[in-house]
Amino acid sequence: MPIYAAPLRDTQFVLHDVLEISRQDVPGYADLEPEFTEAVLDAAGKLASEVLAPLNAVGDRQGCHLENGIVRTPEGFKDAFDQMREGGWTALDCDSAYGGQDMPYVMGLAAGEYFVAANMAFNMYQGLTHGAYSAIHAHGSDAQKDTYLPKLVSCEWTGTMNLTEPHSGTDLGMLRTKAVPQDDGSYEITGQKIFISAGDHDMAENVIHLVLAKAPGGGEGTKGISLFIVPKFLVNEDGSLGARNAVSVGNLEEKMGIHGNSTCVMNYDGAKGWLLGDLHKGMRAMFTMMNEARIGVGLQGYAVADAAYQNAVAYARSRLQGRAITGQANPTGPADPLIVHPDIRRSLMEQKSFVEGARALATWCAYLVDRSHRLDDAEAEGLVSLLTPVVKGFLTDKGFETTVLAQQVFGGHGYIEEQGMSQFVRDARITMIYEGANGVQALDLVGRKLAAEGGKPMMGFFDLVKQTIKEHESDEELKSSFLDPLKAASKDLQAAVMLFLEQGMKNPNAALAGSYDFMHLFGHTALGLMWVRMAAASRKSLLANAPDREFHEAKIATGRYYMARQLPMTSAHLARIRSGAEPVMALSEEMF
């Protein structure tokens, strides 16, 4: 059975050495002293490793089953969900007015990584619920908040997001689900939605669906879309559950991975729903949920990669295979462990340097979300909006690549289901597809986010890079290994931005043909920035004679690997962008 141990030391390093969260001016951060965050995350890690991780393979083998209109979850899931609820983990960063604990989002993300890494399919039930909570909290009426939020915070009820239809994926303007107004102020919802994660299950009393539909008078395209609250069971005025609503599960999808999560076809046959937010402004309300979900999916990318990496390291240490080229490392045994071989070391360093850099980037983005929400910081809001498609797209692309590298360490055994590496690969694959396929994330980044606010967030990112380099340029130990590579990557990123600005209007195909490379160019530069900040923090600890010297030396060596072996990819991505649209669009449709 695969192993998993929460990376508590590394999370603490990012929170306190790199971001110095307890010293920030964000409301609630002063309480986040190292002792407090360690206690919270240690408890989260134990739940992840002792309760959730052992159920990961169970969920994969058993999957979910539809029985008489009710979805049955894998053995042990309900008991684990009860433990999650009873421990208050579903309420960690929710509003105390509705039963939450009011912790900052940065803590929810840090604990969430452990739960995802241990059992991604299981955690999706509460992850989707948190998104529904956020949408209702931001856009709901007081009555809607009072009715739904306490139960969503506790996960006595869970939530979903219903966007996709059989004929309409990313192009939501094509959706056909209808909402007909009723005399009592409700709407009658009719239509079919597909790919609905956690659409139904047996672990909660009710499921609250947030459904995009078209009401009369909205016009064509996305401008005519509204968002509706459609509960599985109607809620009485006293908060008790009433009659079953006209919403049902038509089918469970048979999937490549995340078998423990119920991916449903949902049928709405005149179901009763209530408008959430403004009429015909449903996309604005849904984006509250979608943006949160996209950061969460980016987290899934590196969290599953970390679980796979941990198992690859353990296998490389224990598996005896061949002899080290420089001489026997295990003279009393028949062979040396895999970890002595340079190519295995390369693979493990690829994995380690990505996972640790990704953790720092996602945690920094969570900090920016907190600044945006708790300080109404427009600059932080603009920056995290710019970075969201990068976090979702780049971290899931590289996360999947990392799980494949981890599987490869096992050789033939990695292809055998017994080892569990196949599940990591299969589960990680969906992260590149859902919540907006990564090609769409790249288009969003280049087509919308770069020009947002006149390019102010993008310029803000470049200023952060310059400021970071300037802050540490007197440290000769950092200059050649960290600062110079980051400076070169930033120049590549700036060159790509200028190219898009110069050619975008005249030749839009050129910009869009280069969008995927730009997302990766940006992602590598962002991780390079994180590695400079982490290396500087570890340098500071070493100069202060910190007791965990080995941790900081390993951190700097890992960062040095990323800067030397991964960050130079920015020049390749820039070269591909400069090639323009011609190589991409050269063939006619008939030539394919």
Side-chain angles (χ1 to χ4, degrees):
M1 179 183 291
I3 60 168
Y4 176 70
L8 179 60
R9 178 66 187 90
D10 202 58
T11 307
Q12 287 285 90
F13 168 76
V14 173
L15 291 175
H16 299 288
D17 294 55
V18 180
L19 298 179
E20 298 182 320
I21 57 172
S22 61
R23 300 181 187 179
Q24 302 299 330
D25 61 349
V26 180
Y29 271 41
D31 297 329
L32 302 182
E33 293 290 345
E35 296 79 9
F36 175 77
T37 60
E38 182 175 17
V40 171
L41 296 175
D42 182 60
K46 287 178 179 175
L47 178 64
S49 61
E50 296 173 10
V51 177
L52 304 187
L55 293 174
N56 198 35
V58 174
D60 188 55
R61 288 195 306 269
Q62 294 185 5
C64 295
H65 304 281
L66 185 61
E67 295 179 359
N68 300 319
I70 299 173
V71 174
R72 302 297 180 188
T73 51
E75 182 180 346
F77 268 44
K78 190 176 188 306
D79 287 342
F81 204 66
D82 289 341
Q83 291 186 55
M84 181 79 73
R85 275 196 295 245
E86 290 162 6
W89 296 107
T90 64
L92 203 65
D93 59 340
C94 296
D95 190 340
S96 59
Y98 304 101
Q101 299 182 44
D102 270 338
M103 287 192 200
Y105 176 61
V106 74
M107 288 299 294
L109 180 132
E113 178 197 328
Y114 301 170
F115 301 147
V116 170
N119 196 326
M120 174 177 158
F122 174 88
N123 194 68
M124 288 171 65
Y125 291 99
Q126 72 152 340
L128 271 296
T129 303
H130 193 286
Y133 154 85
S134 296
I136 296 173
H137 191 275
H139 303 285
S141 66
D142 289 342
Q144 287 173 336
K145 292 177 184 179
D146 291 341
T147 298
Y148 297 105
L149 292 189
K151 297 291 189 179
L152 290 174
V153 166
S154 67
C155 269
E156 292 172 75
W157 301 350
T158 61
T160 71
M161 55 191 299
N162 285 236
L163 290 79
T164 307
E165 299 183 3
H167 59 281
S168 170
T170 300
D171 190 354
L172 291 171
M174 295 173 61
L175 67 80
R176 297 173 185 162
T177 300
K178 299 296 183 184
V180 178
Q182 305 297 299
D183 293 340
D184 63 357
S186 67
Y187 287 77
E188 189 178 84
I189 311 297
T190 302
Q192 185 179 77
K193 300 289 184 176
I194 64 171
F195 304 156
I196 308 307
S197 300
D200 193 78
H201 55 89
D202 55 3
M203 301 188 297
E205 298 172 348
N206 204 1
V207 181
I208 310 304
H209 303 286
L210 298 192
V211 184
L212 287 179
K214 288 189 174 182
E220 297 299 318
T222 58
K223 293 181 180 179
I225 295 176
S226 301
L227 183 62
F228 298 90
I229 299 173
V230 187
K232 174 182 176 180
F233 289 97
L234 300 176
V235 182
N236 298 321
E237 288 188 12
D238 63 359
S240 63
L241 296 183
R244 175 71 185 258
N245 207 353
V247 53
S248 62
V249 179
N251 191 28
L252 283 182
E253 302 289 0
E254 294 187 19
K255 310 184 297 292
M256 176 180 176
I258 55 170
H259 296 152
N261 193 266
S262 54
T263 304
C264 302
V265 174
M266 302 300 303
N267 294 324
Y268 295 87
D269 301 306
K272 189 175 283 288
W274 288 266
L275 181 68
L276 177 60
D278 297 327
L279 188 64
H280 310 314
K281 303 292 184 183
M283 291 305 297
R284 186 172 73 92
M286 183 57 87
F287 266 115
T288 298
M289 192 172 186
M290 289 170 65
N291 285 335
E292 176 181 313
R294 284 170 177 172
I295 293 176
V297 174
L299 180 151
Q300 289 178 337
Y302 73 83
V304 176
D306 185 36
Y309 161 71
Q310 290 186 27
N311 285 273
V313 170
Y315 189 79
R317 286 172 173 159
S318 62
R319 171 72 170 179
L320 302 182
Q321 194 78 37
R323 288 295 186 185
I325 195 69
T326 54
Q328 294 184 4
N330 179 33
T332 61
D336 291 333
L338 282 173
I339 203 166
V340 305
H341 302 301
D343 191 60
I344 295 295
R345 291 292 186 94
R346 172 200 60 80
S347 175
L348 295 177
M349 287 296 280
E350 293 274 302
Q351 297 168 52
K352 181 177 172 65
S353 64
F354 164 71
V355 167
E356 293 179 10
R359 178 176 296 120
L361 178 60
T363 308
W364 177 51
C365 284
Y367 160 73
L368 293 174
V369 170
D370 282 330
R371 288 199 69 85
S372 169
H373 291 173
R374 292 176 174 240
L375 285 173
D376 199 23
D377 186 328
E379 185 176 338
E381 169 66 25
L383 190 53
V384 79
S385 179
L386 172 69
L387 288 166
T388 294
V390 179
V391 167
K392 196 283 180 186
F394 179 71
L395 295 192
T396 59
D397 275 354
K398 297 297 288 184
F400 175 71
E401 181 183 313
T402 299
T403 62
V404 172
L405 284 172
Q407 181 189 39
Q408 189 77 7
V409 170
F410 283 72
H413 291 283
Y415 202 64
I416 303 301
E417 291 291 344
E418 179 185 356
Q419 296 291 344
M421 301 308 289
S422 167
Q423 184 185 354
F424 292 134
V425 172
R426 289 183 286 102
D427 285 355
R429 185 63 182 89
I430 187 57
T431 65
M432 302 161 69
I433 299 172
Y434 64 7
E435 296 307 333
N438 286 355
V440 175
Q441 300 301 321
L443 296 178
D444 177 50
L445 175 63
V446 171
R448 294 177 61 245
K449 299 299 175 64
L450 275 186
E453 301 179 51
K456 184 178 177 182
M458 190 72 244
M459 293 305 105
F461 179 81
F462 287 131
D463 287 342
L464 274 173
V465 171
K466 292 175 186 175
Q467 178 185 332
T468 301
I469 292 172
K470 185 175 181 180
E471 184 179 344
H472 301 293
E473 60 187 358
S474 62
D475 190 335
E476 289 298 324
E477 292 292 325
L478 292 178
K479 188 176 186 306
S480 61
S481 297
F482 287 90
L483 303 184
D484 289 348
L486 177 60
K487 191 180 296 185
S490 181
K491 286 181 178 179
D492 288 340
L493 185 61
Q494 290 176 58
V497 170
M498 292 305 298
L499 195 65
F500 289 152
L501 292 176
E502 292 168 2
Q503 297 185 1
M505 295 299 290
K506 293 181 291 185
N507 187 5
N509 273 350
L512 298 184
S515 61
Y516 213 95
D517 280 284
F518 183 78
M519 182 176 71
H520 276 246
L521 199 168
F522 199 164
H524 277 299
T525 307
L527 257 63
L529 174 62
M530 292 300 102
W531 272 114
V532 167
R533 295 179 70 176
M534 287 191 286
S538 280
R539 283 276 296 155
K540 181 179 177 181
S541 293
L542 288 173
L543 292 172
N545 293 315
D548 48 354
R549 188 174 188 86
E550 187 174 297
F551 172 88
H552 294 293
E553 289 175 343
K555 182 66 66 175
I556 292 171
T558 304
R560 209 176 271 128
Y561 178 93
Y562 191 87
M563 306 306 274
R565 299 282 300 233
Q566 282 291 307
L567 198 55
M569 285 299 298
T570 60
S571 63
H573 288 300
L574 177 60
R576 286 160 59 106
I577 291 168
R578 282 177 168 158
S579 72
E582 186 176 350
V584 175
M585 307 299 289
L587 298 183
S588 67
E589 294 177 18
E590 294 75 22
M591 290 178 176
F592 283 96

